[in-house]
Amino acid sequence: MTQTTGVTITGASGRMGQMLIAQVNASGKHHLAGAVERSGHPWVGLDLGEVMGGASTGLMVTDDPLEAIANSQAIIDFTAPAATLEFAALAAQARAVHVIGTTGMSDDEIAALEPASRHAVIVRAGNMSLGVNLLTQLTKRVAAALDEDYDIEVIEAHHNQKVDAPSGTALMLGEAAAEGRGVALNDVADRGRDGITGARKRGDIGFTAIRGGDIVGEHDVMFAAAGERIILRHIASDRSVFARGALKAALWGQGRAPGQYDMLDVLGLNDTPG
């Protein structure tokens, strides 16, 4: 029988956690090696299959990530920045591939992943879907082709439970636009408008965040000039696209040299001519 990759899912009870578990169970290339939740969560100590409304699996939800990760070849992590840093250290000890879909990480938190990446593969992306990563490359190319006569706006929409804004994907798209223009995003980002703001500053990259209902994820990159607009759009209608991308990254990372990678590496898009 072909050996499958053992995967631990953190934040097992969350929307993405449950989607990832379902995708692992449906996969012929992965198997579920661990399911982690925070201490005190009602799922801890219970059978994962039963708490998800199915048959018993014999795999218990744990609040001890060390043991779960030690028995895995990969960890898939869509949690919170502080937890992600803890998991990164444990994944590095186990030499397990750490796939990070956590958003809202500060520059300091991202920098804090560096020690772990010296010992293990980290694949981190603001969005794991193929379509969004293609959109990132398109955004970079269009931004490079158009001058500052074209204002750039990144408009994103998500469900009403999302806690960070702009989304990690929106920031990824903003970074791509800034890279296309040869500038640093921090120098040109306009992330909030309220009241008398004055005219838009030439060359700025604006962000707008919409929160409502059960929107999975929608992202537009608009290039607006006098007389015309170009809009690049991606709409996710099912979280499984992110889960499938994360599982692809978990497989891709097996046997790779330690370091930090992103989904463009996984999909082979970093070789696309700029």
Side-chain angles (χ1 to χ4, degrees), residues 9-274:
I9 305 299
T10 62
S13 72
R15 298 181 190 215
M16 273 305 302
Q18 293 192 52
M19 178 61 72
L20 285 160
I21 290 164
Q23 291 293 316
V24 170
N25 288 335
S27 170
K29 298 179 180 179
H30 311 77
H31 68 270
L32 201 59
V36 177
E37 259 302 344
R38 65 185 184 279
S39 295
H41 192 279
W43 282 26
V44 172
L46 300 179
D47 183 278
L48 178 64
E50 293 177 1
V51 293
M52 290 185 64
S56 175
T57 63
L59 181 68
M60 301 297 174
V61 181
T62 182
D63 60 0
D64 180 8
L66 177 60
E67 181 178 0
I69 294 171
N71 294 322
S72 306
Q73 286 79 56
I75 167 177
I76 302 181
D77 174 19
F78 286 71
T79 55
T84 290
L85 293 179
E86 177 187 347
F87 297 141
L90 297 176
Q93 292 177 32
R95 303 301 192 263
V97 175
H98 188 184
V99 179
I100 300 174
T102 301
T103 58
M105 297 186 75
S106 68
D107 290 344
D108 288 344
E109 288 164 336
I110 292 170
L113 294 170
E114 177 60 29
S117 71
R118 297 175 194 147
H119 304 284
V121 171
I122 293 176
V123 181
R124 185 183 67 83
N127 193 298
M128 297 285 173
S129 85
L130 170 61
V132 162
N133 283 278
L134 287 171
L135 176 61
T136 300
Q137 292 295 83
L138 289 171
T139 297
K140 178 180 175 182
R141 284 172 170 260
V142 175
L146 301 176
D147 63 20
E148 292 183 351
D149 286 341
Y150 288 80
D151 298 320
I152 301 176
E153 286 284 318
V154 181
I155 305 153
E156 56 101 341
H158 284 86
H159 56 86
N160 58 19
Q161 299 301 302
K162 186 169 179 60
V163 299
D164 60 305
S167 69
T169 303
L171 292 173
M172 186 169 72
L173 293 167
E175 289 281 4
E179 186 176 350
R181 285 203 166 161
V183 297
L185 181 60
N186 286 341
D187 293 338
V188 297
D190 182 357
R191 294 177 55 167
R193 304 188 185 105
D194 186 27
I196 307 301
T197 61
R200 180 192 177 102
K201 183 180 176 183
R202 181 177 170 85
D204 274 0
I205 297 174
F207 292 87
T208 299
I210 298 167
R211 297 289 176 266
D214 61 355
I215 301 170
V216 173
E218 301 179 3
H219 294 85
D220 288 359
V221 184
M222 180 172 67
F223 298 83
E228 66 176 350
R229 283 176 290 167
I230 301 166
I231 299 175
L232 307 177
R233 170 172 292 177
H234 179 271
I235 297 175
S237 57
D238 189 328
R239 284 181 180 79
S240 64
V241 299
F242 312 130
R244 289 194 298 270
L247 291 180
K248 184 179 180 71
L251 279 181
W252 179 88
Q254 302 302 313
R256 300 276 172 182
Q260 295 196 53
Y261 302 91
D262 59 25
M263 283 301 291
L264 296 178
D265 295 306
V266 174
L267 299 170
L269 296 176
N270 265 337
D271 294 330
T272 302

